[in-house]
Amino acid sequence: MSTVRQQIWEDLKTYKTYIECCRAYTSKRRAYNRRMKSAIIVVTVLGAFGFFINEWITFSTTTIAFLGEVSQKLLPQLNQPEEELVRLDNIASSFEETLIKIEALWNRYENDKLDDEQANKLLAKYNNRHTNNKSEMNKLVRKISHKENISYQKAADEYLKRKFYADESE
């Protein structure tokens, strides 16, 4: 495999992995945020109706709801703001645009419509767009386990193999 071909392939895998990571992370964080809000609502409602049974139920559920709200404000790592998740969505969309361009580059290169120098220039142009996006993604994605990272890489590999080598596997 030529060096340029290998670099294009690695960039395809990298961008697809970034997309998988951003999408899964934002989905998981949004689900967590919804669960936290729902839990606070349920505890508050239980407290309101618990007054008829015992006033300590109201006191304890109000305290739990208060602590839940305060912890969300004081410990922002527990609850990621929607604005940050939207920024991650935008970064993932930008990565998707670049992935599409690099997929087209791959096809042109594989069909000998580009030489190494032309392919390198285009690849550098596409990658230079994302210096800030990669940094911001690393800042916004607070925690991804090693196991999750491996699964995103596997999903990217499977996607690319299906897309570019589907005929060979049949």
Side-chain angles (χ1 to χ4, degrees):
M1 187 184 279
S2 78
T3 314
V4 174
R5 185 175 188 268
Q6 192 171 3
Q7 183 59 48
I8 295 170
W9 187 256
E10 288 303 315
D11 284 353
L12 284 169
K13 288 192 327 187
T14 299
Y15 282 105
K16 186 59 180 171
T17 301
Y18 287 162
I19 293 164
E20 293 286 331
C21 175
C22 287
R23 296 290 185 227
Y25 180 82
T26 55
S27 178
K28 190 183 336 177
R29 294 309 301 178
R30 284 188 173 109
Y32 176 81
N33 290 349
R34 282 191 302 274
R35 284 193 306 270
M36 284 295 288
K37 287 178 184 174
S38 297
I40 289 171
I41 290 170
V42 166
V43 167
T44 304
V45 168
L46 287 175
F49 289 113
F51 179 75
F52 298 113
I53 299 169
N54 185 335
E55 63 267 358
W56 284 105
I57 293 174
T58 302
F59 175 74
S60 57
T61 55
T62 304
T63 303
I64 291 169
F66 171 75
L67 292 174
E69 283 291 330
V70 168
S71 69
Q72 285 183 347
K73 303 298 182 216
L74 295 178
L75 303 170
Q77 65 270 21
L78 292 178
N79 188 23
Q80 195 155 14
E82 182 62 24
E83 300 81 39
E84 289 182 6
L85 298 176
V86 167
R87 285 188 3 226
L88 271 173
D89 287 337
N90 293 337
I91 290 169
S93 294
S94 179
F95 287 151
E96 284 175 340
E97 290 172 16
T98 299
L99 179 66
I100 291 167
K101 290 177 182 177
I102 296 176
E103 286 174 350
L105 172 66
W106 172 266
N107 287 327
R108 289 173 59 202
Y109 187 78
E110 285 292 289
N111 294 318
D112 296 323
K113 294 182 180 174
L114 290 174
D115 62 22
D116 286 0
E117 187 178 331
Q118 292 169 319
N120 263 333
K121 283 183 183 177
L122 284 172
L123 200 56
K125 176 183 167 186
Y126 299 150
N127 285 328
N128 285 338
R129 292 183 55 216
H130 292 290
T131 306
N132 292 337
N133 283 346
K134 292 173 187 175
S135 173
E136 188 168 8
M137 183 186 87
N138 288 334
K139 191 170 33 173
L140 293 173
V141 175
R142 295 179 179 168
K143 184 178 185 302
I144 293 290
S145 71
H146 179 70
K147 184 179 174 183
E148 288 171 315
N149 193 31
I150 297 294
S151 74
Y152 303 146
Q153 291 173 356
K154 281 184 182 177
D157 281 341
E158 290 170 10
Y159 165 82
L160 293 171
K161 285 176 185 171
R162 274 193 323 270
K163 181 150 186 151
F164 294 110
Y165 295 111
D167 296 337
E168 294 175 13
S169 64
E170 293 175 4

